[in-house]
Amino acid sequence: MKYTEDHEWLRVEGDLIVVGITEHAASQLGDVVFVELPEPETMVAQGDEVVVIESVKAASDILAPVDGEVVEINADLTDSPALVNEDPTGAAWFFKLKVDDLSVLDQFMDEDEYNDLIS
Amino acid sequence: MSELGRTALHGLHLELGARMVPFAGYDMPVQFPMGVLREHLHTRTAAGLFDVSHMGQVLVRPMSGDMADAALALESLMPIDLCGLQSGRQRYGMFTNDSGGISDDLMVAHRGDHFLVVVNAACKEADLAHMQARLPGCHVEPVPNRGLLALQGPLAAQSLAQMIPDVMAMRFMDVATPAWQGHDLWVTRSGYSGEDGFEISVPNAQAMPLARALLALPAVAPIGLGARDSLRLEAGLCLYGHDITPDTSPVEAALAWAISKARRASGARAGGFPGADRILTELADGPTRLRVGLLPEGRAPMREGTELFATATSPAPIGHVTSGGFAPSLDRPIAMGYVPAPHATPGTLLFGAVRGKRLPLQVCPLPFRIPTYQR
């Protein structure tokens, strides 16, 4: 598992990168009530706003961590946005990205580095 | 920036694990570990305890000793019948400015030989100066030595009655002065959540023990500003500085119900408050724009500032959202905003611009959820 400074986690699954938000981020957001996902087969560039998350308090977004193609989205989140608070690192993954080269993940933090960031 | 103020309950908020935010110059709890959603629902099903000590409490005493003098003086600042307000009763009102806008909304309680005026935290210095300048026949004194707690929800009355049985005899908007542990509490049966409940003014030194005693009751949980906001929005209640401002008149704000008959055109003491020309004209002819309830058709919340359009393609906005978010008790997004009068009829279809998309929403009556006041 790798982590971004925007509090996303990145997990490799075959040749795809699964993207979600960390428990820390979910707790900071508060109760999530709405999630807007991209269309599958969307090409995204690093830094693009890919997902909108609305909590009871405010709106925020998930940025594409790297260039790639969204090949799968977690439609469960549309019906059950509360999953983001209940299981942020498991059932509440947001989308899967297909990238040219998984070594793009090397630039991101490992768990220890991320824990240092949020402590 | 000057240092944030702290209420008498600040230490208790920290002890309870609150997430603190700056609000109107105070370090206030936005939520407790329960979280905004559950705090909201808890208040709707049991009883929530809110620290509203940041709000301004001001006493207005007639120098003559005759409350009619203070009532008439205060009536010169607001379109409310205060001469008709009985001792032991409270009324909602607002200070208006010379152009008919609202400079603050407030509660006035008749406490026998004085009025207690409770005003918004962000306005309290200005309100105090306003009253001191404009009420020459009255002593106008702030009350910095008392905190203010709100206990709200269907179990608020029976909870508070376990400590103070007399509160059961109060009805909505009653004012009483029961004693607790030898200290006078100034209690009103009112609040800002759309629920039955009480606001309790308590000497600062007793605020902590009172809050602890209330929180020890099984139905009572601490509630932060986040849920206070979603509760008042569901109840269709205005947030000063957002839904009502110095530019919006009480009539535009759909607060005409609060303008007493005695102060209207044919009333016994018609006009005589700042901005009366505009306000009485709007009462007679209808306002050009109106605060309305808005129901987004999808699940996406429409937040404050969202521009409203008459059609999916019309170029110019006709209004904007002044408060909006997710309504936990209704399990859907809701909003309030101002639209031109021809678009203010319930059922009118409008569009809100959210992240570049025009999303449909319908004008609806306020409140979104019918309050459960004990009248």
Side-chain angles (χ1 to χ4, degrees):
Chain A
M1 198 97 114
K2 290 284 195 174
Y3 299 87
T4 74
E5 289 181 354
D6 298 318
H7 307 284
E8 298 158 12
W9 55 256
L10 312 173
R11 193 175 63 220
V12 174
E13 191 179 286
D15 62 345
L16 303 178
I17 299 173
V18 188
V19 181
I21 65 169
T22 65
E23 204 155 321
H24 172 76
S27 129
Q28 289 295 312
L29 276 174
D31 305 300
V32 173
V33 295
F34 174 76
V35 171
E36 187 174 273
L37 296 164
E39 294 293 323
E41 299 179 26
T42 305
M43 299 300 298
V44 297
Q46 184 171 26
D48 284 357
E49 291 174 12
V50 183
V51 174
V52 175
I53 307 176
E54 299 250 11
S55 74
V56 282
K57 284 179 290 187
S60 56
D61 31 51
I62 298 185
L63 307 180
V66 294
D67 297 353
E69 180 187 1
V70 175
V71 291
E72 203 177 327
I73 56 169
N74 184 357
D76 289 350
L77 297 181
T78 310
D79 296 329
S80 308
L83 277 178
V84 177
N85 299 106
E86 289 158 12
D87 192 9
T89 53
W93 60 275
F94 284 85
F95 57 91
K96 297 181 183 177
L97 268 184
K98 189 173 171 60
V99 297
D100 291 339
D101 182 352
L102 285 172
S103 69
V104 291
L105 288 175
D106 295 347
Q107 63 184 300
F108 296 109
M109 289 175 276
D110 62 23
E111 188 166 353
D112 286 345
E113 289 169 322
Y114 179 71
N115 286 333
D116 284 346
L117 177 79
I118 60 173
S119 65
Chain B
M1 195 178 123
S2 59
E3 199 163 310
L4 290 174
R6 292 180 173 187
T7 73
L9 298 184
H10 187 266
L12 180 60
H13 300 322
L14 299 182
E15 182 187 315
L16 292 171
R19 186 175 299 167
M20 306 296 285
V21 296
F23 182 83
Y26 286 81
D27 192 33
M28 296 298 287
V30 66
Q31 66 172 74
F32 291 88
M34 190 186 271
V36 176
L37 206 62
R38 273 173 286 278
E39 289 173 31
H40 178 114
L41 297 172
H42 182 89
T43 306
R44 289 270 185 254
T45 53
L49 182 66
F50 303 75
D51 180 10
V52 289
S53 304
H54 56 312
M55 296 183 75
Q57 304 179 60
V58 181
L59 304 186
V60 177
R61 275 177 212 285
M63 289 175 182
S64 65
D66 184 351
M67 278 295 275
D69 292 337
L72 277 171
L74 275 170
E75 282 194 359
S76 73
L77 302 182
M78 59 182 97
I80 309 300
D81 175 6
L82 292 174
C83 294
L85 182 64
Q86 302 293 308
S87 182
R89 294 287 292 163
Q90 185 183 42
R91 195 162 280 176
Y92 176 73
M94 67 287 293
F95 291 130
T96 50
N97 60 33
D98 291 337
S99 54
I102 300 171
S103 58
D104 198 7
D105 68 335
L106 50 91
M107 293 291 245
V108 185
H110 188 315
R111 292 184 32 83
D113 61 353
H114 66 273
F115 290 107
L116 168 65
V117 184
V118 177
V119 300
N120 282 300
C123 303
K124 65 184 179 184
E125 300 304 327
D127 289 342
L128 183 63
H130 183 54
M131 285 189 277
Q132 285 173 336
R134 300 280 292 265
L135 303 175
C138 299
H139 295 291
V140 177
E141 310 151 25
V143 188
N145 59 338
R146 294 181 82 96
L148 193 63
L149 309 186
L151 186 67
Q152 303 278 293
L155 301 184
Q158 67 184 64
S159 297
L160 187 57
Q162 291 178 43
M163 294 160 52
I164 307 166
D166 290 352
V167 299
M168 287 309 277
M170 297 175 72
R171 60 198 172 93
F172 183 56
M173 297 297 242
D174 271 355
V175 179
T177 310
W180 180 71
Q181 297 195 343
H183 300 276
D184 277 352
L185 303 180
W186 304 345
V187 179
T188 60
R189 192 156 191 171
S190 59
Y192 219 62
S193 64
E195 292 296 325
D196 178 33
F198 302 86
E199 291 197 346
I200 307 163
S201 171
V202 53
N204 279 335
Q206 276 73 49
M208 189 78 99
L210 177 63
R212 285 190 194 281
L214 287 168
L215 289 171
L217 300 172
V220 181
I223 311 295
L225 292 176
R228 182 170 161 82
D229 192 49
S230 54
L231 288 159
R232 68 92 199 162
L233 179 56
E234 282 184 348
L237 298 169
C238 293
L239 178 60
Y240 190 78
H242 302 259
D243 306 301
I244 47 179
T245 71
D247 295 323
T248 59
S249 79
V251 185
E252 290 177 330
L255 298 174
W257 60 267
I259 303 176
S260 309
K261 282 205 179 82
R263 311 302 308 281
R264 296 182 179 219
S266 54
R269 295 181 308 288
F273 49 86
D277 285 354
R278 171 183 173 189
I279 290 167
L280 296 180
T281 302
E282 286 182 356
L283 279 173
D285 302 342
T288 55
R289 59 174 182 166
L290 200 60
R291 178 175 64 98
V292 295
L294 301 165
L295 290 177
E297 289 188 356
R299 299 288 298 175
M302 293 197 195
R303 307 277 178 186
E304 179 178 3
T306 301
E307 290 190 318
L308 299 171
F309 295 84
T311 74
T313 53
S314 49
I318 58 167
H320 67 277
V321 170
T322 52
S323 280
F326 183 78
S329 300
L330 306 174
D331 190 33
R332 60 165 304 149
I334 58 173
M336 303 196 293
Y338 283 82
V339 296
H343 297 278
T345 311
T348 304
L349 182 68
L350 300 174
F351 291 83
V354 178
R355 295 179 282 274
K357 278 181 257 177
R358 297 272 177 99
L359 303 180
L361 71 166
Q362 266 196 29
V363 175
C364 73
L366 291 169
F368 300 97
R369 187 180 172 282
I370 304 301
T372 54
Y373 307 135
Q374 299 297 303
R375 294 181 193 272

